[in-house]
Amino acid sequence: MTELARADELVVERIETVILDVPLRRPHKFARVTTDVQPILLVFVHTGGGVTGVGEGVVPGGPWWGGESVESMKVTIDTYMTPQVLGRQVNDIENIWRDICDQVNANLYAKTAVEVALHDAWARSLGVPVHTLLGGLSRDSIDVTWALGAEREEVVIEEMQRILEARTHSSFKLKMGALDPVADTQRIAAIAEKMADAASLRVDLNARWDLETSRELLPRLAAAGIALIEQPVPGEQYEALAELNALLPIPVMADESLRTPVDAERLIRLRAADVWSMKLTKVGGFRRARDIVAIGAAAGIPSHGGTSIESTIGTAASLQLACAAPGVTWGSELFGPLLLAEEVALKPLSYSGGRLLLPDGPGIGVEPDPAVVSALRRRHLTRD
């Protein structure tokens, strides 16, 4: 299909939502939950011209993080969002977004899945990659940090050593928040004592500590050789995050505190973070993500390509953004497909020398494998 596609060929005729349960290669322990299966929602937008776009809705470990789940996303999209999209052209994204927001408050993960699917269908109708619709390329690959669960010291060190020996990654993010804060700090300090000279180490507390605990213990992590602290306090505690950012000699990254452009303005005004974690999934899609990254860049704040442990489909979408937005200069942790035990795309993404390479091709650059989708598809709304 070409840029001269007729208007009727761009019309959305049908939307399909499918939940997959994709096993992980190893359990992944977050601050509050541990999972060995990643539920993923795929949203397929079918057009009158025979083009299908796909978007992915996924949250890291379930609704504890962002308040949504694949089950809630599916019901919300099927019931409330789909009627706002059917019969509309896939390039009418801003107006579709406005009408969806009139019907559905928040639910940014669900909105991302639909918005990305519309962009994918539009780009495929034009025969161009999504990054063309976002303004073109700033880069064609990005560094990838490997994230480890909140496991015992020996388990974390063994995994890090194995990855370093394979020379696939040289920076690591360690999850915290699942243990008593003092014990957790001792665990990370012991890991840093053995590994900080060999790799760049970062920690993510998933917003689990309060200000007083953070004041006391985070300087110990900085002294131990940790290079960055991600979201130590709850997302709504911007002033506390700002106080810690001023206190620490290493960068603080905002994640749970950043979901909207208004959040971005507040982070800047309070000087609450040195780096922003930009998860495409949590902000509502490409356009909001691009805007938020640009707001940060205008204030001299770089963005990092965060992950919700997406499949190749969601990771490819995040990669399109990371390679298009000039402000994504703090690397990424787009390692999701490497943690999944099943490849859901017809062709996997390419990782080389610690970097993720942008795929060729129209749309997001990858397509789901129908056989794998059928095999992993959940037959009911909830798991049996």
Side-chain angles (χ1 to χ4, degrees):
M1 200 163 294
T2 71
E3 195 170 351
L4 301 177
R6 299 193 313 271
D8 62 323
E9 294 177 327
L10 300 177
V11 170
V12 178
E13 291 191 338
R14 183 166 60 94
I15 294 178
E16 179 186 9
T17 56
V18 177
I19 294 176
L20 309 182
D21 290 306
V22 186
L24 303 185
R25 296 184 182 276
R26 56 144 170 87
H28 196 69
K29 188 173 184 179
F30 297 92
R32 303 183 192 182
V33 300
T34 300
T35 182
D36 57 6
V37 173
Q38 178 66 314
I40 288 169
L41 178 72
L42 295 182
V43 177
F44 297 93
V45 169
H46 304 277
T47 72
V51 169
T52 297
V54 63
E56 181 175 292
V58 59
V59 291
W64 70 274
W65 198 96
E68 295 180 64
S69 66
V70 292
E71 297 86 3
S72 72
M73 286 184 240
K74 178 172 172 57
V75 172
T76 300
I77 292 169
D78 291 348
T79 307
Y80 300 103
M81 296 187 185
T82 292
Q84 304 302 318
V85 182
L86 292 177
R88 310 279 287 271
Q89 292 186 27
V90 292
N91 59 350
D92 192 23
I93 292 174
E94 287 297 340
N95 288 322
I96 290 173
W97 172 272
R98 178 202 63 208
D99 293 341
I100 284 176
C101 289
D102 283 344
Q103 298 295 316
V104 179
N105 183 35
N107 286 271
L108 292 173
Y109 284 88
K111 289 173 180 175
T112 292
V114 172
E115 197 254 23
V116 168
L118 289 169
H119 275 91
D120 188 42
W122 181 19
R124 290 181 187 277
S125 297
L126 300 177
V128 300
V130 163
H131 63 72
T132 298
L133 306 181
L134 301 177
L137 283 180
S138 294
R139 58 192 65 84
D140 59 12
S141 66
I142 194 166
D143 287 331
V144 178
T145 291
W146 183 266
L148 298 103
E151 300 289 353
R152 301 187 313 275
E153 172 190 341
E154 61 271 20
V155 174
V156 171
I157 289 175
E158 187 280 329
E159 185 169 339
M160 291 173 62
Q161 289 175 332
R162 175 168 48 81
I163 290 171
L164 286 170
E165 289 172 4
R167 298 183 178 179
T168 53
H169 304 272
S170 59
S171 64
F172 299 88
K173 186 172 86 171
L174 314 177
K175 288 288 185 180
M176 298 184 68
L179 303 176
D180 168 79
V182 173
D184 218 3
T185 300
Q186 292 171 343
R187 177 181 69 94
I188 295 297
I191 293 169
E193 182 180 357
K194 295 180 181 179
M195 302 300 298
D197 290 339
S200 172
L201 304 183
R202 308 165 183 182
V203 298
D204 180 7
L205 287 107
N206 281 138
R208 289 289 284 169
W209 287 2
D210 58 28
L211 178 57
E212 182 178 355
T213 301
S214 299
R215 275 201 208 106
E216 177 186 355
L217 296 179
L218 291 183
R220 301 185 194 181
L221 293 176
I226 296 302
L228 176 142
I229 306 288
E230 182 174 346
Q231 197 70 47
V233 294
E236 67 274 12
Q237 295 182 9
Y238 293 90
E239 290 79 7
L241 192 66
E243 181 175 332
L244 295 171
N245 193 39
L247 170 69
L248 293 170
I250 58 176
V252 169
M253 181 186 290
D255 186 8
E256 284 89 338
S257 294
L258 179 65
R259 299 175 193 249
T260 70
V262 174
D263 295 339
E265 186 277 331
R266 186 178 302 156
L267 288 167
I268 292 169
R269 176 164 39 85
L270 295 174
R271 299 183 181 179
D274 298 311
V275 186
W276 290 352
S277 177
M278 175 42 60
K279 292 175 181 170
L280 177 66
T281 52
K282 71 177 179 179
V283 301
F286 286 120
R287 297 192 178 201
R288 273 72 206 165
R290 180 192 58 190
D291 291 348
I292 291 170
V293 170
I295 291 168
I301 300 172
S303 288
H304 165 81
T307 184
S308 296
I309 309 187
E310 300 91 343
S311 76
T312 292
I313 305 304
T315 301
S318 294
L319 182 59
Q320 292 285 333
L321 171 74
C323 287
V328 184
T329 57
W330 199 266
S332 80
E333 55 185 279
L334 297 178
F335 80 117
L338 302 177
L339 187 60
L340 302 184
E342 297 283 348
E343 175 54 69
V344 304
L346 286 169
K347 183 179 180 181
L349 292 169
S350 179
Y351 292 84
S352 178
R355 297 183 70 82
L356 175 56
L357 311 181
L358 187 71
D360 295 326
I364 60 173
V366 297
E367 300 176 42
D369 185 327
V372 175
V373 170
S374 178
L376 299 180
R377 180 173 188 160
R378 189 186 296 180
R379 302 305 169 183
H380 304 285
L381 181 62
T382 57
R383 292 191 207 175
D384 297 332

